[in-house]
Amino acid sequence: ADFNYGADEYDAEGNEEPKALPEGSETMPYIDESPTMSPQLSARGQESGDGVSPTPTDGLGTGGERDAGKGLEMRKLVLSGFLASEEIYINQLEALLLPMKPLKATATTSQPVLTLQQIETIFYKIQDIYEIHKEFYDSLCPKVQQWDSNVTMGHLFQKLASQLGVYKAFVDNYKIALETAEKCSQSNNQFQKISEELKVKGPKDSKESHTSVTMEALLYKPIDRVTRSTLVLHDLLKHTPADHPDYPLLQDALRISQNFLSSINEDIDPRRTAVTTPKGETRQLVKDGFLVELSEGSRKLRHVFLFTDVLLCAKLKKTAVGKHQQYDCKWYVPLADLVFPSPEESEHCPQVHVIPDHELEEMKMKISAIKSEVQKEKANKGQSRAIERLKKKMFENEFWLLLNSPAIPFRIHNRNGKSYLFLLSSDYERSEWREAIQKLQKKDLQAFVLSSVELQVLTGSCFKLRTVHNIPVTSNKDDDESPGLYGFLHVIVHSAKGFKQSANLYCTLEVDSFGYFVSKAKTRVFRDTTEPQWNEEFEIELEGSQSLRILCYEKCYDKTKLNKDNNEIVDKIMGKGQIQLDPQAVQTKNWHMDVIEMNGIKVEFSMKFTSRDMSLKRTPSKKQTGVFGVKISVVTKRERSKVPYIVRQCIEEVEKRGIEEVGIYRISGVATDIQALKAVFDANNKDILVMLSDMDINAIAGTLKLYFRELPEPLLTDRLYPAFMEGIALSDPAAKENCMMHLLRSLPDPNLITFLFLLEHLKRVAEKEPINKMSLHNLATVFGPTLLRPSEGESKAHLTLASDIWSHDVMAQVQVLLYYLQHPPISFTELKRNTLYFSTDV
């Protein structure tokens, strides 16, 4: 039987289970494809092949001991399954190496089958890979045979992971090896015979002594293997207690393997599981995933499957308890008939209804708040019913976000008439789908129509073959999975090289938050160059992020393509790549330099991470001469001004030329520019005005935000912070108005005048929302925490979980600022005069 990993609804034998699991419960993702798989693995503990039950019940006392025993047993099951497949893998490598010696021997004779150069290319690194795995197998086998709680094997996996460099060399050579083998087969009969039937030894305990496999199939095995071992590490970690000596070693091995996997060429894909249609053609699933389709004016979540010759769009059918799940085909397009309409051709396409940013932001706030409630319930050993209810609510909210946030159009057209429109949140993903389809279209494809039976068979296979099992929302994650990083990632994009010809080039950065990827920053366009030197620094807020993606574009200045709707990206992607954000590696105080390789282009960048609780600190400046980190009263007194010069200048500049800039105050400016402006303001340099007029407007906006963020005490003061929190929570409008105005009156004059000055400016920015896309709510989200977040001493008192205080307090901080932004104009003199109305003391 050919097992798939993680078929949620069946056990390893393919029997239906009496009750369906909730969507998103994974079985163990590692099940070997080999026919001699022993034992069969599944997370739900049926009897395994060698008769060991994963839940030993014999006399194990406490729950803790039982869990430890279960974990131990599960680790043994995972390892014995892995060893069985490792044995098959070693036999496959041996079969590949077998013809190498005789071929080498003939290479130096007068009638060589292959030249030494060709042999070296085809069998490149196979010997090294074989030796690495043989040593690993020989060391691990006795450990699993004498298995008990004292056995450690993490070091073996760590060593295996540290030797992945050999695989990198193999992968880089893989295409050439295949091409060379193919050419040699065509030109040499002897080699063709050899490469069509390589004999692979069967495992020790199997009845089959040998199986025949082609050389092409065997050369693919090492690529498959890395994915396999990564999955096994995942499973081992799941069942290894965090205090076990193996835990850090396995974690390290997993990190190395995952980074390696995301760095190797994306076009070599380990998911080549075949489906045969009734006509006997071999169809393989190349890619699948969840996409949002705009269908009859509403957004629907679809599971899209790309096979070798057809794109199929499906949805999961609702099934009764006990029945295993099935997909329902919504439509399919044979790749021979599939075209991507250009932006001009898609004029008649439906207009995409884009959800306003502030609604998405509000939903994120809600999700963060529910997350902290779940944490609290767990910490207080709350009722599981309450936790389940919260989790259900969170899933509904996250699902809404997943459905409503994508806005980048991805159009598919069937030559025979119908067009389809998907919406994606990431241009990276859009180009992955497009490239995968275009690559398959290079082959000689036939147009066809599927009969209803064929369609049924194909749709039926989707469930078994799918590689993406869960809707990408965080509520589907296991508790022990990494929650991702919360805080600020500082990235410097240095430079890129490897371009064949001069072009106008820029990069964008995407990170995943709330389960899906979004674009967070963009470098300036470096014109007419093959070696752009951007050297721009960005501060990117992370909300549960695990990966960073870099995309490199060539700027399109073709006027005909530019007047499209906002989200149509017409620039050409030159390359793209991603890296895992590893919490251990990133959380150092120092910059960490890295290179992402993409299609022959190398992009150099550096990054460092500040966790949210670190970035909450307000540190007073040591010297009182500058303006950053100095009390606002000190600055205004020194300047003899009512509003600090820096605030007036930055606001004036933004109003002069930034008020129509899309994403003003939300898009981060280049950090090096911001630091330069900070230095000039601190030194009170006479060139300030010249510098301001030349500087990128996002850097000026960033400098203003930084000034407020670095005040030793928030603009709305530490003393009044608790009262602001209470005031905004009042539900009676009159009481709230009374309280909120009284609080403004209680502020020191410099703070109040500056706050009112900023308030009027932000209202003017929001008036241009149709152009700059910055609503009052967006501005409140950006500035609320900056103006209200208490300084270190204050926030320590009620600081629990970093993500916890974040969600709850930030929501309230945003609401406070929003209240004043939505309030009719407030004048300083009116406030001061109206002491009578605001008589209640807080």
Side-chain angles (χ1 to χ4, degrees):
D2 217 324
F3 294 121
N4 58 305
Y5 19 99
D8 299 2
E9 313 313 322
Y10 354 128
D11 61 21
E13 272 77 48
N15 306 325
E16 286 184 20
E17 292 242 339
K19 81 180 213 327
L21 283 137
E23 172 62 16
S25 48
E26 285 283 32
T27 58
M28 287 170 72
Y30 168 72
I31 292 189
D32 197 281
E33 66 190 326
S34 55
T36 53
M37 166 69 184
S38 82
Q40 286 141 353
L41 294 184
S42 152
R44 291 193 296 282
Q46 327 80 352
E47 292 293 316
S48 68
D50 53 5
V52 186
S53 157
T55 29
T57 48
D58 39 39
L60 273 179
T62 65
E65 280 175 71
R66 198 176 305 118
D67 285 349
K70 186 178 176 189
L72 186 66
E73 204 53 66
M74 288 304 284
R75 289 207 297 287
K76 181 181 180 183
L77 282 176
V78 173
L79 286 170
S80 29
F82 187 51
L83 271 177
S85 68
E86 189 74 1
E87 183 192 345
I88 292 164
Y89 180 47
I90 289 168
N91 290 347
Q92 289 164 338
L93 293 171
E94 246 176 329
L96 256 182
L97 290 169
L98 206 59
M100 191 170 84
K101 287 197 182 78
L103 283 170
K104 271 192 174 162
T106 64
T108 49
T109 63
S110 55
Q111 287 181 306
V113 181
L114 301 181
T115 65
L116 278 171
Q117 180 61 51
Q118 289 168 330
I119 295 169
E120 180 55 37
T121 305
I122 295 170
F123 298 95
Y124 186 65
K125 295 291 178 196
I126 300 288
Q127 184 69 44
D128 298 5
I129 292 176
Y130 170 77
E131 282 163 15
I132 288 169
H133 281 270
K134 186 85 179 83
E135 185 194 342
F136 171 78
Y137 178 86
D138 291 343
S139 317
L140 185 59
C141 203
K143 287 183 177 287
V144 177
Q145 280 161 356
Q146 294 144 22
W147 187 248
D148 66 25
S149 58
N150 300 323
V151 172
T152 57
M153 44 71 203
H155 57 289
L156 298 177
F157 278 95
Q158 194 183 32
K159 185 176 179 187
L160 189 64
S162 71
Q163 293 165 314
L164 280 172
V166 177
Y167 274 91
K168 176 84 178 105
F170 173 85
V171 168
D172 289 345
N173 180 70
Y174 172 73
K175 274 187 180 160
I176 307 159
L178 269 192
E179 282 162 18
T180 311
E182 213 167 288
K183 275 183 200 145
C184 295
S185 279
Q186 284 161 3
S187 60
N188 187 305
N189 271 345
Q190 261 179 299
F191 182 67
Q192 185 176 7
K193 280 201 183 102
I194 296 170
S195 66
E196 274 178 0
E197 280 203 38
L198 291 168
K199 296 273 182 276
V200 179
K201 231 174 23 195
K204 289 194 276 287
D205 52 1
S206 98
K207 296 177 189 63
E208 287 178 46
S209 57
H210 283 87
T211 46
S212 289
V213 189
T214 65
M215 182 173 283
E216 185 186 357
L218 287 180
L219 281 172
Y220 187 73
K221 295 297 175 190
I223 291 166
D224 214 10
R225 198 68 202 160
V226 187
T227 319
R228 264 285 125 71
S229 28
T230 310
L231 291 168
V232 166
L233 285 164
H234 207 281
D235 292 338
L236 285 173
L237 272 169
K238 226 177 196 169
H239 299 289
T240 304
D243 55 1
H244 192 285
D246 275 345
Y247 195 85
L249 303 175
L250 291 171
Q251 224 175 8
D252 192 42
L254 181 61
R255 179 181 61 80
I256 297 169
S257 308
Q258 278 175 333
N259 279 343
F260 174 78
L261 264 186
S262 59
S263 74
I264 65 174
N265 236 338
E266 290 161 334
D267 59 6
I268 295 174
D269 197 319
R271 302 177 299 217
R272 299 286 168 88
T273 332
V275 186
T276 313
T277 63
K279 282 185 182 159
E281 302 158 338
T282 305
R283 252 198 201 114
Q284 296 172 330
L285 177 65
V286 178
K287 181 176 173 62
D288 69 305
F290 288 98
L291 293 180
V292 172
E293 185 189 9
L294 197 66
S295 163
E296 294 164 2
S298 65
R299 292 166 179 254
K300 307 273 190 224
L301 190 67
R302 304 287 192 221
H303 199 148
V304 181
F305 295 86
L306 174 62
F307 290 94
T308 11
D309 61 348
V310 62
L311 183 76
L312 184 136
C313 174
K315 72 180 254 257
L316 258 181
K317 281 206 275 208
K318 287 195 165 60
T319 47
V321 173
K323 290 273 181 280
H324 62 256
Q325 286 184 304
Q326 273 298 332
Y327 280 97
D328 198 4
C329 173
K330 300 308 287 181
W331 50 264
Y332 70 91
V333 181
L335 298 190
D337 294 329
L338 188 152
V339 283
F340 299 112
S342 65
E344 303 83 80
E345 292 166 318
S346 51
E347 289 297 346
H348 59 275
C349 273
Q351 264 303 304
V352 179
H353 168 60
V354 179
I355 304 285
D357 271 357
H358 70 86
E359 284 185 33
L360 298 173
E361 289 302 327
E362 270 167 25
M363 186 54 87
K364 288 180 186 175
M365 297 278 186
K366 267 190 204 161
I367 293 166
S368 298
I370 297 172
K371 269 188 195 159
S372 23
E373 278 183 60
V374 171
Q375 296 295 345
K376 279 194 196 105
E377 283 286 340
K378 281 187 180 160
N380 304 333
K381 300 277 184 285
Q383 289 184 342
S384 55
R385 291 253 301 277
I387 293 177
E388 279 315 306
R389 206 167 45 245
L390 285 169
K391 279 194 168 170
K392 184 169 180 256
K393 186 92 190 106
M394 182 156 96
F395 176 80
E396 286 164 7
N397 288 343
E398 288 196 308
F399 187 79
W400 182 91
L401 197 58
L402 188 71
L403 210 54
N404 288 294
S405 57
I408 300 172
F410 175 43
R411 300 188 167 90
I412 302 281
H413 180 67
N414 185 337
R415 279 202 183 92
N416 306 325
K418 198 142 194 263
S419 287
Y420 304 96
L421 171 60
F422 291 112
L423 297 173
L424 281 71
S425 60
S426 145
D427 200 24
Y428 190 101
E429 269 147 50
R430 180 169 74 159
S431 81
E432 277 185 321
W433 279 100
R434 188 175 283 157
E435 282 164 23
I437 291 169
Q438 284 167 338
K439 188 174 166 193
L440 293 169
Q441 287 180 325
K442 285 189 182 131
K443 300 182 181 131
D444 180 28
L445 294 169
Q446 306 292 306
F448 56 85
V449 174
L450 293 173
S451 71
S452 58
V453 175
E454 286 172 318
L455 186 58
Q456 212 175 338
V457 170
L458 189 61
T459 313
S461 71
C462 289
F463 188 82
K464 283 210 284 286
L465 293 176
R466 61 189 185 156
T467 64
V468 181
H469 298 263
N470 293 331
I471 297 169
V473 292
T474 50
S475 29
N476 270 340
K477 277 192 187 168
D478 290 348
D479 291 346
D480 54 359
E481 269 185 75
S482 159
L485 295 168
Y486 286 86
F488 293 93
L489 184 70
H490 299 264
V491 182
I492 301 176
V493 182
H494 297 293
S495 59
K497 48 178 173 288
F499 296 97
K500 303 281 184 288
Q501 59 220 51
S502 283
N504 303 315
L505 302 163
Y506 69 92
C507 283
T508 63
L509 306 178
E510 290 185 355
V511 296
D512 52 327
S513 62
F514 295 94
Y516 58 90
F517 279 85
V518 277
S519 183
K520 288 281 198 175
K522 178 176 167 182
T523 67
R524 65 184 185 282
V525 178
F526 211 101
R527 289 184 173 245
D528 205 17
T529 178
T530 53
E531 295 206 355
Q533 300 281 331
W534 294 288
N535 292 318
E536 290 186 61
E537 185 186 329
F538 301 96
E539 180 184 84
I540 296 172
E541 187 169 1
L542 303 184
E543 297 166 296
S545 311
Q546 293 177 323
S547 306
L548 167 73
R549 291 174 168 175
I550 296 188
L551 292 97
C552 193
Y553 289 90
E554 179 180 352
K555 182 79 184 144
C556 160
Y557 288 110
D558 177 350
K559 286 285 176 282
T560 59
K561 292 184 180 175
L562 292 182
N563 49 9
K564 290 301 300 164
D565 57 284
N566 303 331
N567 296 303
E568 189 76 69
I569 299 168
V570 290
D571 297 337
K572 182 177 162 203
I573 295 183
M574 304 297 284
K576 59 186 195 314
Q578 77 171 9
I579 54 155
Q580 300 294 114
L581 294 175
D582 171 41
Q584 272 71 40
V586 183
Q587 280 178 329
T588 54
K589 292 219 164 48
N590 307 328
W591 286 97
H592 163 74
M593 178 106 167
D594 216 331
V595 173
I596 282 189
E597 292 198 36
M598 34 171 117
N599 310 356
I601 299 164
K602 289 183 178 178
V603 176
E604 278 197 5
F605 65 100
S606 300
M607 55 183 183
K608 67 176 179 183
F609 171 72
T610 326
S611 64
R612 186 157 270 139
D613 39 353
M614 288 304 292
S615 57
L616 290 179
K617 288 181 180 159
R618 290 181 183 266
T619 34
S621 169
K622 299 277 184 291
K623 50 184 206 309
Q624 291 294 305
T625 51
V627 290
F628 281 82
V630 179
K631 281 186 175 168
I632 194 162
S633 54
V634 173
V635 174
T636 48
K637 197 169 176 183
R638 185 199 318 139
E639 292 177 355
R640 298 199 178 92
S641 63
K642 287 189 166 139
V643 174
Y645 180 66
I646 179 171
V647 177
R648 285 174 304 167
Q649 285 315 125
C650 290
I651 284 179
E652 190 180 315
E653 203 61 39
V654 169
E655 295 205 352
K656 206 185 312 179
R657 58 192 178 92
I659 203 143
E660 295 191 347
E661 182 81 11
V662 173
I664 187 76
Y665 289 121
R666 187 173 56 82
I667 287 178
S668 51
V670 178
T672 37
D673 290 350
I674 294 173
Q675 289 307 320
L677 279 171
K678 176 182 174 178
V680 173
F681 275 112
D682 266 344
N684 195 13
N685 192 313
K686 56 182 183 306
D687 301 333
I688 289 178
L689 294 176
V690 178
M691 207 168 152
L692 276 177
S693 58
D694 287 345
M695 197 57 90
D696 171 57
I697 199 66
N698 287 320
I700 294 170
T703 306
L704 182 66
K705 286 192 298 187
L706 184 71
Y707 168 72
F708 286 120
R709 198 159 72 219
E710 290 198 354
L711 282 174
E713 159 176 88
L715 187 65
L716 300 185
T717 72
D718 283 330
R719 183 177 65 86
L720 295 175
Y721 182 73
F724 275 113
M725 293 297 103
E726 281 165 19
I728 199 66
L730 293 171
S731 38
D732 173 53
K736 187 186 268 189
E737 160 88 3
N738 206 351
C739 175
M740 298 301 274
M741 292 303 135
H742 172 71
L743 286 170
L744 284 188
R745 272 189 40 252
S746 315
L747 285 169
D749 282 3
N751 298 56
L752 175 56
I753 297 168
T754 303
F755 178 64
L756 296 176
F757 188 75
L758 176 67
L759 212 53
E760 290 313 306
H761 163 64
L762 294 179
K763 287 180 182 180
R764 285 191 291 274
V765 171
E767 280 167 12
K768 299 279 186 197
E769 184 193 352
I771 306 166
N772 64 27
K773 304 280 182 277
M774 291 303 285
S775 60
L776 289 175
H777 194 286
N778 283 351
L779 292 163
T781 307
V782 171
F783 275 96
T786 304
L787 301 177
L788 276 131
R789 193 190 60 234
S791 50
E792 182 65 345
E794 291 299 311
S795 59
K796 258 291 177 277
H798 36 230
L799 206 148
T800 44
L801 244 179
S803 57
D804 190 59
I805 61 153
W806 148 243
S807 56
H808 227 92
D809 282 12
V810 169
M811 277 180 84
Q813 290 159 12
V814 170
Q815 291 305 323
V816 169
L817 181 54
L818 189 58
Y819 180 84
Y820 292 122
L821 283 169
Q822 288 170 339
H823 196 281
I826 306 163
S827 96
F828 179 75
T829 43
E830 283 291 298
L831 261 182
K832 291 294 185 187
R833 196 178 311 128
N834 275 347
T835 48
L836 215 118
Y837 177 54
F838 311 114
S839 55
T840 50
D841 218 305
V842 181

